[in-house]
Amino acid sequence: MIEYLRKVYPKSQEQLFTLLYQNLTEQKKVFLVTANPETMMNGYRNVEYDELLKDKKTLIIPDGIGVVKMAQRIGNPVPNRITGVHTVQKLLHFGNKNELSAYFYGSKPEVLKKFSSILKKDYPNLKVAGMVDGYHYKDDEVMQDALKKQPDLVFVALGIPRQELLIHRYFEQFSKGVFLGVGGSFDVLSGFKKRAPKAFIQLNCEWLYRLIKEPYRIKRFYNNNMKFIWLTKKEMKGNH
Ligand code: UDP
């Protein structure tokens, strides 16, 4: 856990966005992993996921408050959360302003239909290189298609760990682009899923809202969070 936590981006979200815009302008490649305790636990349980988290080219951003707090505990001065949804919005905004191209893979067809009309309305200058739902196609075929188009932005909404594993497998073959696994962000941005009310977000309790709305996640949440905290503390003791 400590090795992952040391790698979490230690600066503000404004600094991150500046870095991403610069990468896009210079056509550099970057793979962003929006991390919460579940992300770190995937690294613990899955060798390939462990590799992608440790990869020098992967930028781990602190999506969950648990990651922010534990990163601080090990001495990484992460100031605050940087959420996946907000990062997607900023990238779409920048892409629109600079007429960049974007590829969208994942989520349900009806979600993408709505999302597509939102993109046309709010981001009219963004070039949609591809938009493929996550239920009717093969991952490899979709990535081959994305490779042909070499988009500036690649958003993959297939859930953890599939989205990150897929990006990591193809990352080397792309010559440019900002890559991001976005979980349920298309669902939120198209209004199919509600984001937590502001008060929950400000109190760093977005996770609680999600559990109230989606109680089937409670067991998964509890197991991942408890184990993540326990493992981090154990490693910290081992280091002293
Ligand atoms: N999804 C998909 N194909 C699948 C399974 C899931 O496209 O076979 C999509 C799903 O519709 C949702 C996203 O992946 O938009 C996962 O969102 P969730 O909030 O569950 O993300 P997680 O918390 O698992 O990262």
Side-chain angles (χ1 to χ4, degrees):
M1 295 303 121
I2 290 185
E3 204 171 341
Y4 306 148
L5 288 166
R6 276 203 196 108
K7 265 198 87 209
V8 175
Y9 186 70
K11 298 180 190 169
S12 70
Q13 58 179 12
E14 287 69 30
Q15 283 166 300
L16 172 75
F17 298 142
T18 304
L19 173 74
L20 295 179
Y21 301 158
Q22 198 180 333
N23 278 342
L24 283 165
T25 308
E26 291 168 8
Q27 304 209 328
K28 281 191 192 151
K29 266 197 302 191
V30 60
F31 174 22
L32 294 176
V33 173
T34 61
N36 53 37
E38 189 179 346
T39 315
M40 305 309 202
M41 289 311 298
N42 266 287
Y44 179 74
R45 295 187 185 117
N46 176 330
V47 183
E48 226 182 309
Y49 208 96
D50 173 68
E51 273 168 26
L52 79 84
L53 285 177
K54 287 179 184 161
D55 195 322
K56 271 202 232 81
K57 290 176 198 142
T58 305
L59 197 57
I60 305 178
I61 63 171
D63 188 27
I65 189 65
V67 168
V68 175
K69 294 288 176 210
M70 291 320 271
Q72 290 169 350
R73 285 282 284 271
I74 64 131
N76 181 349
V78 173
N80 224 325
R81 295 177 66 204
I82 306 176
T83 68
V85 179
H86 189 52
T87 306
V88 174
Q89 284 174 313
K90 293 298 260 191
L91 289 171
L92 291 177
H93 185 78
F94 185 83
N96 181 55
K97 214 165 104 191
N98 296 282
E99 301 184 10
L100 302 181
S101 62
Y103 201 101
F104 303 88
Y105 176 38
S107 81
K108 295 192 177 119
E110 61 268 29
V111 170
L112 286 188
K113 203 169 154 224
K114 184 77 202 298
F115 191 46
S116 164
S117 65
I118 290 173
L119 288 178
K120 278 195 195 110
K121 188 166 125 304
D122 296 343
Y123 307 95
N125 300 319
L126 184 78
K127 295 178 201 135
V128 178
M131 188 173 256
V132 184
D133 77 71
Y135 293 88
H136 297 93
Y137 305 90
K138 291 209 170 87
D139 287 351
D140 292 306
E141 282 167 13
V142 179
M143 290 312 271
Q144 290 298 340
D145 181 49
L147 267 174
K148 274 190 221 137
K149 301 190 170 141
Q150 292 288 331
D152 300 296
L153 301 162
V154 178
F155 301 105
V156 184
L158 299 169
I160 297 176
R162 184 171 151 205
Q163 57 195 20
E164 284 85 17
L165 291 170
L166 183 63
I167 293 174
H168 194 241
R169 261 202 292 130
Y170 279 88
F171 187 72
E172 278 308 317
Q173 295 181 54
F174 284 88
S175 61
K176 61 166 182 177
V178 171
F179 295 75
L180 177 61
V182 298
S185 295
F186 299 166
D187 307 59
V188 172
L189 293 173
S190 58
F192 276 77
K193 242 189 218 175
K194 276 214 161 49
R195 211 180 155 194
K198 275 213 176 83
F200 278 82
I201 298 176
Q202 276 159 4
L203 292 169
N204 281 323
C205 287
E206 197 164 3
W207 57 272
L208 178 62
Y209 181 81
R210 199 138 188 226
L211 290 184
I212 296 167
K213 284 281 180 196
E214 299 168 36
Y216 63 89
R217 287 179 183 272
I218 288 176
K219 193 164 171 234
R220 178 174 134 187
F221 177 87
Y222 181 83
N223 285 342
N224 281 314
N225 277 265
M226 289 300 129
K227 190 118 197 243
F228 165 66
I229 293 168
W230 182 78
L231 280 169
T232 308
K233 286 188 174 166
K234 193 173 131 194
E235 283 178 31
M236 283 168 78
K237 271 188 207 140
N239 276 355
H240 286 304

